[in-house]
Each structure stands twice: as C-alpha cells, then as structure tokens.
Amino acid sequence: CLIACMAIAQEAPRLQQVLIDLTARNRPLDKILQDIEAQTQFRFVYNSAELRAAGSVTINRKRINVEQALHELLPAGLEFRQRGYNILVLIKEETAGSAPNKDFLVSGRVVDAAGQPLSGVTVSAGNSRRATVTNEQGSFVINASKNESLEITSVGFEDITVAVTGQPLQIVLSPNRRQALNDVIVIGYGNLQRKRLSTAIATVSGTQLNERAASMNIVEAMAGKVPGASIMLNSGKPGSNPSIKIRGTGSINASNTPLFVLDGIVGLDPMIIDPSIIQSVDILKDAASAAIYGSRGSNGVILMTSKQGVKNKSNIIFSNRVSIATLAREIDLLDAKGALEMIERQYAYMPGRLAPHKDPSNDFARKDELFYPDGTPRYNINWQKEATRTALSTNSSLTFTGGKDNMTSLVNLSYKKQEGIMLNSSLQQINLFANLGWEVKPWLHLKTILNGGGLQSRNVDLNSLGFNAIREMYEYLPFIPVKYSDGSWSRKGDYPGAENSENPIRLLNEVRSVTGQTYVMGNITGTIHLNKKIDLVTIFSGQLGGAYNNYYSGKDVFGFSDLENGIAQRINGNAGAWTNEDYIMYNDRIGKHKFNALAGASWYFNVGTSTFAGAENFFDDFFSYNNLGAGTVRQTPGSDRQQNQMNSFFTRVQYDYDNRYLAGASFRVDGSSRFGANNKYGYFPALWTSWLVSAEPFFQRWLPAVSYLKLRASLGVTGNAEIGNYATLSRLNPTQVIFGGQQQPAVVLSNPGNRNLKWERGEQLNIGIDASLLNDRIAFTAEVYRRRTTDLLYIKQLPATTGYGGIYDNIGSIRNQGLELSIRTRNISGRNLTWTSGINFFLNRSNVLHLNGDIIYNWAGRIMEGQPTDQYFGYYRTGTWSTAEAADAAVFGRKPGDVKWLDRNKNQAKDAGDRVPLGSKMPRYQIDFTNTFSSGPFSVFIDVSSMLGHKLANFSRFIMESHTTSVNSYSAILNAWTSDAQHTSLAQLRLQSDGGENEMDNYYIEDGSFVRVRNIAVHYELQPAILKKLKMEKCTIGINAENYFLFTKYKGFDPEATSFDGDLNQGVDVYQYPKPKTLSLVLQVTF
Amino acid sequence: SKFLEEDPAGFISPEKYYTTELQVQAAVNGTYTGLDDIFSTDIGVAVSPSFSLEYLTGYSYRLRPAANADNQFLRLDPIDPANGYLENWWKAVYYPMENCNSVIDNLGRTTFLPESDKKKYLGEVYFLRAWYYFMGVRLFGDIPLKTTPTTDFNNVHIPKAKQAELYNQIVADLKMAEQSGLPWTDASGHVSLGAVKSLLAKVYITMAGYPLRKGNTYYQLAYDKAREVISSQQFSLFASYGDLRKNSLKNTGEHIFMLQRDLANAGNMLHFALMPFPDLPITIQPAYGGALAPRLEFYQSFNAADHRKGEQVFFFTEYPGFNNPTHIIPLPVPLIFKYWDEQAEQIGKTGQNFPYLRYADVLLLCAEARASLDGGSTTNTFAIDAWHQVHRRAFPGSVKPAQLHVNDVLKERFWELCFEWHTWYDMLRTRKALNTTTGQIVDLLGYQAPNHVHPFSEKDLLLPVPLSEVQKNPLLK
C-alpha cells in the first residue's frame, strides 16, 4: 500500500494552507499536537519520550496556519517535516549528535497495541534502499543515519514513520482500521477523502482488481466487487465484452453502459485498458456524484486512476501469470446411441417408416462407414471435447517506478496472450503505459500519461444466428466422425435427413475472422497554484485509434463460402478525439467552516471513419484476406464518416462544518452536437449532504459500540446522449435499385429528423448510511436509491401511414429502485491468523412508468408500461395432449402427442392473447461473498458469487430439443411423448415434414439462479531471508482457481449469458461460447 | 454555438436535395425500392410474408413445418391481428407510399427541369403510388389515404378512408401517369405506358367487381383499357413457357412490368424457397426449400393435355441430380417450376426477375371484362381471340370457340397465373373459386379449398389491420 499512501501524500494540503485555532495553558506538547490533529486531517508521528522532554507549552492564537503554529510550539531541539497527511517531529540534525550523516546501527522492537511482538514487519531506512524485517521477537536492527527516519510497514497495520534517535525504539503499530475512510477517492474534477463523502461512490482498489488472476480486462476484474453494478461475464470468449449496468436498465433506445474515464480522458473503451496500470477505480453510482459529467452520466461513471511512481524509491515490479483453461462443464447432449434412438423414434412417428440407417433399401453414400451392418454406430464423438482444448494463457507485466525530488515516474509494459477454449480462438494485447509527475516550479505541477498498444483477437463465434462453429459443436451428430478414413471432412448431411451443415472442426480451422485495434491516448494536466487558496487546472487529452475486422472463409466451406468460392472482407476504421478541460479550484477555511469550490469548461471533439471492402471467387485459399484483388468478384464497397462534439460548463461547491456536517451542490451545462438544433444544451444540477453522527460529542457516550456512523443523502440529475450521431436530422439514404440488370443510384427516406430532440434525463435520490461497529470489526455501507429516467431517448413508434417506423423523441419514463448493502468484517485478527470477509448484496427493481402506450417485443420478451424492463413474455406450455384428450386437441387443430399451450383468453385458438409474463431477465438478487485468510506468509482468498431469480431464454435448447429437430439434441429429448409415457412437456418425436408446432415458451425459459465459487486464490510471500539472498524486496507466488464450482439448474453452459447486447436482452442464450475454468500460477516480484 | 453544429457527410438532408436532374432520378429510382418489400425474409428458413398471399388461396401448402403465423394463413384460421405478417404487408404499402409522396411534393416544386421531363418522372411515381395503394386496398379494405409527405410527427392519427375514395385516388394517379409521356415499353424495367394502362385495366375490373361492384361502366373501362394495350401490338405472348423464366427476355415480349432482380446485388429467393423439402440433391444449394408447393388437388385440376401441367413447365415431379444428369431423382410431390433458374442450380445465386404484370394477364382481363359486360358470356371476337391466345398456348391446335363464358376466362386465370401472387386478388374481386374436384368455377363463400380447415366466409376476405398499427393509431380500430 506504499504507493497508495504516497499518492495520497501528493494530494494533501500544505501546512501553511491549513488554519487552526489553538488555546492552551501549560499543556503538554503531545496533547497540543492532538488538538491540532482534531482540527485537521494531519497526523503527527513522534517519539513520546522526546516530546515529554520538551515539557508543557502555553499558546493562544486564532486562525494561525499549522506551519506557523509548529514553529511556535516546538522547542529548539525539534523540527518537523510534512509527509502527506503525516507530520514527522524529529530531533534536529545539529543537536542530534556529533557525526551527522554517519550511519550507525539502530535497534528496536515492534509490537501491537496489546504489546505482542510483531514479526515480519518491514522496516526501511528513510531515503536509502536499506530495509529489514522484524524477527520472531519483533526485534530489528538496521543501519541508519541520524537525519533519517524509519518507515514501518506491515499488512493490516497503519504505516508509520519514526525518527531515528539513537536510543532503542519501541514502536507500537495500530491496526489498519479506517484506512478506507482516509482513502482519497476520485470524484471527477478533484478528490475527496471517503469520510467526507455524501454521495454513492464505490471504490475498487488495484489490489482487488488483481485478486482474480484470470481477469483479462478491467470490467471483468470488477465483477462482484461493486454493489449496485451488474457485471455479467456473458461469454467465455477471449476478449469478450462483459456487460455492465449500474443500478438497472434506465434506457431503451440509448445506451445503458456507464461512462469510462481514465485520468481525465473521458469516454474510453474499457476493453483496451490493461488492469495492471490501474491504481484504483471509483464508481459514481448516484446521479448527484455523476451529475458533474452531465449528459453522459446517467448510467454512472467509472473513474480509473492510473498508478504513479513514488518519490525517492526506485522499484522494478515483474509479474507473470500463466493460466490453463479447460471447459468448465459440458451440456448433457445425446451420445451416438441416444441420437440414433431419437432419430428412430422420429421416423417411427409414421408406423413402419424406417430411419435411413435401419432401412435396408436406403443405401446412402457413407452408410457403411458410419454404421455396422446391424445399424449400430461405428463412431461416438463428443463434439464438446473435439471442439475445445486446454487453453494456455500468459499475462506478463513489467513496471518501473521511481522518483526524485520533484519528479515521479512509472513505466509499464505488459503483454498478454489468451487462448480460448474453442480451437483457434485467441486474444493478444501489448500495452505500454507511462506517466510522469513533475513539480516544475513551486507554483506549477505537471502530470502526463501516455498509453498505447494494440490488441488482436481471432473469433470463432461469428454470425450467432447462422451455422457457426460453436453452434455446430452443440448440434453435430455424435455418430459422425471428424474426418473419414479417406481424410475428407465429414458433414452433418452425410446422414440423410439431417440438417446439412458444415463440420465444426473444419469451421474452426478454415473460417478466419481476426479483429483488432491499435490505440494511443495521452493527456497532460497542468496545475497552477495561483495562491494558497486557488489552483488552476488545465487538461489536454487525445485519443487515436484504428480498428480492423478481417475475414476469410475458404473455397470449400459449405454454407459459408462454397458458392462464392471463397469470401474475403476487410473493415477498417479510424477514430480520433481530443478534449480540453479547464477549471479553477478554490479552497478556504474559516474556523470550523471549510469550503471548496470549482468552476470550469470543457470542449470535446470526436471523428471516426470506416471503410469496407470485400471480394469473392478466389482460385486459391492462399491469399486469405490479404489480397482482395485476387478474387474476381468484388463486393459492394462501403465507407462512412461520423463526427460529434460537446461543449460544457460546470461548477461545484462543497461545505464542511467541523467535519460533522457536509453539504454540496454541483451544476453542469452540457452542449452536444447530437441533439436537435433547438435543444443543444442541457442542465444537470445535483445536491448532497451528510452528517457524521459519530463525531457528535454526545454520540460516543450514547453508543460507544459504534465508532463511526454517517448518514447521507443526495439528489441529482444526469443525462444520456448515447444515441449515435445525426439522430436528429432527416435523412435521404443512398441505395441502389436494379434496372435492366444494372445497379442504378437511388435515395430513400430513412429517418425523420427531430429538431427538438434533447438528452434523456435521469433523476436519482440516494440515501446511504456508513457505519463501523465493535471497535471497527464490522464496517458496513447501505444505500437505497430511486432512479427515474424521464424524457427517454426513445424511438417513438409511428403509425406506418407516416412512412416511418419511428422517430427519436423524448418520451416515456422508467423507474429503477434498489438496495445495496456492503459489509466488511474482521472475524479474526489474531497473531497467527487474520480472517476478513466482505459481503456485497444488491437488488434492483425496474418498472416502465410510461411509454406512449407502445409495446416493444424483443428476444422472448417485451417492454410495456406497468411492467419491468427485463421481462420475458410468451406462450405458456401446460404439457402435451394425451390420447384421452384427442377431441379437445382437435379444437386447436392438434393431435395427441402435440404440445398443449394455455388458452389464456379462452377463445379456443392459439393467438397473441394467450401469452403471459415468463420471468425476469435480470437477477432479482445478487450476492458476492469474499473471504481472505492470512497466516504468516500465506493468504487465502475465496470469492463466492450468486445471482438469484433470473431466467434465461435458452434458444439453443429451443432449436435442439424440439420434437422435429434434425440435429443432435439434449439427452432429455428421449423423455418426449410416447403413447406409453404421455405425461411430458415434449411433443412426440417426428420429422419436420410431419408438422407440429413448437414455441420459444416457458419450457425453454429456464431458471438461471446460481451459486458460483468464482475464485479461490492462495498466495505465499517469500521469507525475508530468502528475499535477501535473491536481492528482492518482495516476492509473491500464488495459485488461483477461477470458476471451478458452479451450482445451478440451468441446462446451458453457463447461467451468466447473453448472445446479444446485455442492455435489454440479457439471458438470451443462442449457442453461447462455453465458459472455461481456469487455473493460474501467479508470480510477482518487486526488486 | 457553431462548435456544436452537425454536418453529416454520409447521407443527404432532404432540405438540401432536388437541385440536379441526377438527384431527381435517384429519388424517383428510390420509389421503386418498395416493390420488393413483401419478399423480405427473416431468420426462419424459407419464411417470408409474401407466401401468405398464396397460402390464403388454399391451393398451396408449406412443406416445411410452419409457425403459428404461417399456419393461420395456411389453414384459414381467423387471422390474429398480432400476426406479424400483417405488419409486413401494411408497411409494404405505406413506407414506399411516403417515398412517392415526398418525390411528388418536392419534384412538383422544382423549376430547373423542363416540364416534359418532370412529367415523365412524376408519371413513374404516380404509377408506383397507385400500385402500393392498390395492394393495400385490396388486402385490407378501408385504410388511411395520404397523398402528402409527413411533416408533423405529433398529429399522426389518420382515419380510414372509404375504399371508393382510395380507388378514385388510384385511378387519378394512373391517369396522371398515363398522360406523362412515358414510352409504351421500357427494356430496363422502368414504368412504361404499357404498364400504366395494364394496371389501369386491372383497377377498373376490380372496381367493377367486389367490393365496389360498380358493374358495367367499369367493365367497359377495363375492356377498353386492356384492348388499348393489346391493340398497341407492343406486347406478345412467348411461344414457349420456358421463355417466361429466361432472364435474357426480361422486360420484353410478354413481360409488361417486373420486379427487377440482379444476381450479385438483389437476388431472387424464389428458386431456393420453392425447392423440395426434405432436401434433394438437385441443385448446388438444396438446403433452404420447402416454402410453397401446389396442393395435389390443384395440380390435378389441370387437364391432362394442358401443356402447363407438363414436366418442367409450371411444375416438375422429378429432376436430374446435381452434377449427375443421368441420375433422375423423383420428387415426393409435384413442385412449382415457374421460378426455376438453371443458372442458380449451378452457382447458387439467381438474378431472375419476378413478373408483376404480364401480357397473358391483360389478355385474360380483356376477355373477362367483355364477357362480364355482355352478361356472363360473349361472342365478341376481340375478346374471344384474347382469351384464345392464352388458351392456345396450353392446348395447341385448340379451336377458337364462337362464344366465351366468363367462367372459362376465370378458370384460365387460375391455371395460367397460378402462384404468381394474382390468384388471391382474383378470388377477392370475383368472389369465385376454382373447385379443384369438379374443375368448375364456384362461389367463393362456402367453398373449402384443399388446404383449408374451414370454408371461406365473409370475415376471411379482408386482412385485419395489424394490432400494432391500431395501438399506434386508435382511429384504425
């Protein structure tokens, strides 16, 4: 945590900036210093003996700054130095001894509050690189000079710095209790200590981001760590984009993704951010905190802060992870014997009809290769095994940090290569990150970051509705081999009547889709200290990026490119953006009244272009997508250019009385080019307040068990502008029509404009409570919120008679309300064992309040007024018609053995009126439970996560487990209706040509509730003796098991899934990429 | 502020349009794009709203399993207003119509074009607007009539107009097109005078029949208009039925107006959708067929000597294996051959046009109008000759009769124009059906077609307004 402490140190006010009142008569010096502590955020570090020697002091000064006060208070033999929020009180060099700067041995002993010796505590000597650790008795000896101080650090305790006195030191460490409260969090255009916060901001530290070794990107790493943020890891695909929603789905036609900011660079793609460069992530959840980001804040804001170098300490940190991933679970599909039983039963629907392999008169081409003469299969292939592999991934990162006098710097180089468990799918990324902090002049501080790199992935899950490799892995028949003995690939249609589609292994090998991007972004922040109270900040940021998507499908790949003789395509995009933000900050204090204020303006510009080219008919697969000219048929090329701009003004004031009563307000004016000419600017106010109840004098007498208690409330308005560009303009789109076999240019009306269109408005009320109990053993935070999105950026459905399907308008409102609970406990904090736990719990309930009376049907669901946004909706299967019900079935035009649906409107026909709500797409409750055990050098981390009450629309099962399926199926299909077993929900098996309806109904909408042991990690820290030999400062070796245990009834690969966007179609599972379980070895060395 | 202004580069705002003749041409071309709207497909295999029109007749069925939406048309169940195909058909009327309104409005206000050129361009658009409305009024009955572009997106509730009013607009538009100076034929597939007059004949004969029942005045108008087309001698029947499928003969001879297709950029789905199901290896890509097949009863209603029933004319019952011509594969049932494309069989793509108006249709309209006008049968030689031209191609050497009954003409239409998306409209306007058992023309109401589970009744004759449209515009209730 050294880095974190130093990061805070940079943010601390200078001593002369902080004013105090001091009144004391003949009071011991250490008590007066405690008075100063009570009035400020500063903490003194001193040797009690030295202060006692200084005797008592009398002082009576109003509004004096701390520096001045200390000059007056301290006797001649002592001096003071500021270290962030710490003030070191030391014996002055000249009085300390005769041999300044000469090293001598300092000895000491480190104990805890109970006087028990602490072993393994790191003691390092001031500016030098010397360090040691305490032994079993807590004792240490270190070489130090008189003008140095010792830094004492140990996990679980507050770091302290003590002056070297020449006498043996007795050092008492206090448990690291309120560290979280003292942490500085980033709030957007500034920082704030957590204890002074009134809004709903959650923080994830860099350490937490690294807890799960298998996480490859920042959003994945945050999963389960933020109450209120639904992070769904929807696919096992390398580089897949997890969906993240903060406090529910507020929007229908605009985005529901939060705004990502890295060190002031606004609007990043989080997928390209390497987690290893991140120091911490702060998540602005409520509207009051996000309102400072105005029209882009309505889905929450995620502020990432990069790591920084440390002054006067150079380190090299090397970390490497090697992971092995395998298929986590298999779906219960039919084997060869089962599949043939299913097919035989399908043929037997018509009495006497024989399946091809049983029919002596059917002599299909591959019959003898597939079947023994008696019709039993020669092969039994498990396609889930064939199409997946043991995937090896590595993730290495090398960080150099350092600093001198007025500069700090950090350089990070990282490389990762992740193999997917599906054959040939992969992701690799290389990233270089560098930052520099430079105190150019006492009045000017510069900070700059540069981040650049490239990533590339090979995808196998193209075209999720088509016959892609993953779908074929599910659906391929198990009695057909990968290749025949003559070396040729098999095809599913080799068995007559089966859907004729390509072999999954061939698709994985011969269809090549590579996407990637290169990017560079940077910013420079200048802070000018105009005077003691006013700082001026100016930031320039820029981003450049190129994205590509290359595709080639070979000459003979059936159903993909065989008719075209090979298809090659390339899509290239380029984008650039710049931002300038300038603001002024004002800090002041009058007695117990503290103020700070901020005002600023920003400009943002973004432009992007894209190009598409494609060719067909290649004489050879050699060229792939690298030489489109080799194809003789050209596809229609395409290109596009888009641009958007923003211009904003913002201000914020905060007031704090005696650290007990806090209040603040902010206001942002946001102009966006995306809105209608009549409504370019939007206005976003916010208000917040909090009361630190536990700081009231009466409180500690009244409720001593509660050491910290704060109540807070906030109310704010944010906006949403994520509708894409040019949505307010009427359009004539160019297209082509054919005349005489030739393409001719044409234009058609495509989008009616709306010059009045404006941002979507999100109002949110948040009430929170923070508390620490029982000597800080239990800390908890609870929040309730009500979020109302109004003026939805909604494509208002228009009657077709207007000529259009819809027009963007500000119509409708959605309410999300919920509860978040976060509990941290120290269950055991003994000498040999510490055990801490964390529980995050949250729930969100949505309701569409108003939607112009429209009903929107999406995948197996609907959105309508008075209903949740995430509702499944469809027919309700009550079973199958039995032979006894033949007459009733006939009324519906059905026969015994057909599916029976609820006739809800009792009109004796199956129609739209029979459909009913079928459950929720989003979890009703989400719980994450983490435990950390530490004992000596070992620590164990266990992360259990659970989502409850959500359902998935298992489209894969709907297609496969159908009575007329012509592909492989789930084993359960053998429970289908027969005249002997009529009590079932599956209709009698038959061929497609025998007819019979099926529906995506409740039978295929499955409960997705699960408990997952998401991660188990064991870490071992190398012992000091070994470290010394290896010349290392620190070395951690760990092993990490991700996704090893999952408890669910869901029948697909994983109940956290969607095949489309997670905004409104979470849980729609169309042949999801299977999820791996991953075992990682972790090594981290600090030199 | 200026910083926030939008200046898109990838599309044009309508306010900045209509400044050059090429822009006008592109806008007029855009009004044709609606012609293929009903042939849209979704993720289902061989599923398209367009087949509903043939399913409704009861003379066809679907080889592939059908979902509820198709089943309602296939079985003649009451059609649920929530049935998604209704929305497809409704939008196929109004989306293209708005393009027409916009062009008519904007082009009307331009001044840089010579009047005669402007009139020609407008002629095409008037024809197409009439085309779209004619489709809508026949399928849905009373529907909103709108002839100006939408400018107000708040007051969007347009009431239904009476069918008579709609027909008046259709006739008015077609008359404008007729006067616009278009050439008789157009080999590139643009609207021609021949197309305008043929459609006008069709509109008139529809107005003469159900539901307006304007009777003889309109039979006379229909007869005159069809006769104009015939007398122009611009069109002729192909000698061979196979020529109807020949892409090289598109937009010529018998083809008066077609949906223009192109192999590379605007394929025709029919070759594939009409293939056998379960798959048979008779073409390079046999996997996506099964959308539409004639009911055996209908196939058998053809006279055994009728050339149209012959192998590989309108139907086929066997076909050589793909790349294996000596291996003849029998089809389990007779299938439609009208859209078979030998090129598609080899390369898996087809650019065959779809016939919207062909000369045989006009010849039969002429005969039907005259026979109706003359009280059910006619001795008018022009009319008899018109009918006989069509009949003679199916029955070479047949003798021209002295008298022609209207039912003979209707029968000829059922057989000649089958599976060309005409039959349902004919059944609606004549309220007649072909009884496949007796081979006779019978009243539509009370007749149960081979694939239906109910006989036709009054409520089956109009499609309900789509539920979603009623929700958006309560005046459509």
Side-chain angles (χ1 to χ4, degrees), chain A residues 1031-1045:
Chain A
K1031 303 215 183 318
M1032 292 175 180
E1033 205 166 274
K1034 194 180 170 190
C1035 178
T1036 311
I1037 299 167
I1039 185 161
N1040 194 304
E1042 171 96 1
N1043 192 23
Y1044 263 74
F1045 305 98

Side-chain angles (χ1 to χ4, degrees), chain B residues 255-272:
Chain B
H255 290 304
I256 300 174
F257 187 61
M258 305 187 86
L259 173 61
Q260 306 294 311
R261 301 285 78 189
D262 166 57
L263 190 127
N265 304 297
N268 184 337
M269 66 159 182
L270 290 177
H271 170 85
F272 302 103

Side-chain angles (χ1 to χ4, degrees), chain A residues 608-624:
Chain A
T609 64
S610 66
T611 315
F612 166 82
E616 299 171 4
N617 203 25
F618 289 81
F619 69 92
D620 198 293
D621 285 338
F622 171 82
F623 302 100
S624 187

Side-chain angles (χ1 to χ4, degrees), chain A residues 645 673 732 740 745 800 802 912 992, chain B residues 3 12 29 80 150 188 277 469:
Chain A
Q645 306 95 261
S673 62
L732 281 172
T802 58
Q992 292 198 343
Chain B
F3 185 71
I12 304 181
N29 288 348
D80 185 351
T150 308
S188 69
F277 178 84
E469 293 297 325

Side-chain angles (χ1 to χ4, degrees), chain A residues 165-193:
Chain A
T165 60
Q167 289 150 6
L169 298 166
Q170 174 83 1
I171 297 159
V172 181
L173 293 186
S174 48
N176 187 351
R177 288 181 187 174
R178 300 223 191 123
Q179 195 197 7
L181 292 170
N182 286 317
D183 274 351
V184 169
I185 57 172
V186 181
I187 57 172
Y189 308 103
N191 307 317
L192 201 64
Q193 273 182 300

Side-chain angles (χ1 to χ4, degrees), chain B residues 54-288:
Chain B
E54 289 297 325
Y55 294 160
L56 269 176
T57 65
Y59 297 128
S60 66
Y61 69 112
R62 184 176 165 80
L63 295 169
R64 237 173 227 285
N68 205 29
D70 276 321
N71 269 333
Q72 290 175 353
F73 290 95
L74 281 160
R75 296 154 47 95
L76 200 69
D77 280 335
I79 290 172
D80 185 351
N83 189 313
Y85 293 129
L86 298 174
E87 185 81 8
N88 291 111
W89 283 96
W90 185 268
K91 285 178 178 166
V93 175
Y94 285 103
Y95 286 7
M97 171 282 302
E98 179 68 8
N99 267 311
C100 295
N101 285 344
S102 169
V103 175
I104 290 169
D105 180 67
N106 283 292
L107 191 49
R109 285 190 271 118
T110 60
T111 49
F112 64 90
L113 275 179
E115 258 333 278
S116 58
D117 291 359
K118 202 158 128 180
K119 258 177 93 176
K120 257 189 223 167
Y121 287 125
L122 281 171
E124 292 178 63
V125 184
Y126 280 123
F127 170 88
L128 288 167
R129 185 164 73 180
W131 178 275
Y132 298 127
Y133 269 127
F134 187 39
M135 182 166 88
V137 72
R138 286 182 292 174
L139 292 176
F140 294 100
D142 293 349
I143 54 172
L145 173 64
K146 179 168 164 294
T147 54
T148 53
T150 308
T151 50
D152 178 355
F153 288 94
N154 293 312
N155 301 310
V156 290
H157 295 167
I158 304 174
K160 286 179 180 178
K162 289 278 169 229
Q163 295 187 50
E165 205 182 323
L166 286 149
Y167 274 103
N168 288 341
Q169 183 64 44
I170 292 165
V171 170
D173 279 352
L174 287 174
K175 282 184 169 166
M176 291 290 282
E178 202 177 13
Q179 302 304 319
S180 64
L182 292 169
W184 264 101
T185 60
D186 187 309
S188 69
H190 282 272
V191 174
S192 64
L193 187 60
V196 176
K197 288 185 187 290
S198 302
L199 184 61
L200 198 46
K202 208 161 188 158
V203 170
Y204 284 143
I205 202 167
T206 304
M207 293 172 80
Y210 290 91
L212 297 186
R213 304 194 68 183
K214 284 179 174 287
N216 282 351
T217 328
Y218 277 79
Y219 283 123
Q220 182 71 54
L221 287 167
Y223 173 72
D224 292 345
K225 208 43 79 181
R227 189 173 168 142
E228 264 186 71
V229 176
I230 297 164
S231 307
S232 75
Q233 301 197 335
Q234 298 283 339
F235 307 99
S236 59
L237 292 184
F238 291 128
S240 154
Y241 289 107
D243 290 350
L244 284 168
R245 297 186 289 114
K246 275 195 185 143
N247 213 17
S248 56
L249 296 173
K250 65 187 169 197
N251 308 327
T252 64
E254 187 167 345
H255 290 304
I256 300 174
F257 187 61
M258 305 187 86
L259 173 61
Q260 306 294 311
R261 301 285 78 189
D262 166 57
L263 190 127
N265 304 297
N268 184 337
M269 66 159 182
L270 290 177
H271 170 85
F272 302 103
L274 269 49
M275 286 186 307
F277 178 84
D279 313 347
L280 290 173
I282 57 173
T283 171
I284 187 167
Q285 180 57 288
Y288 302 105

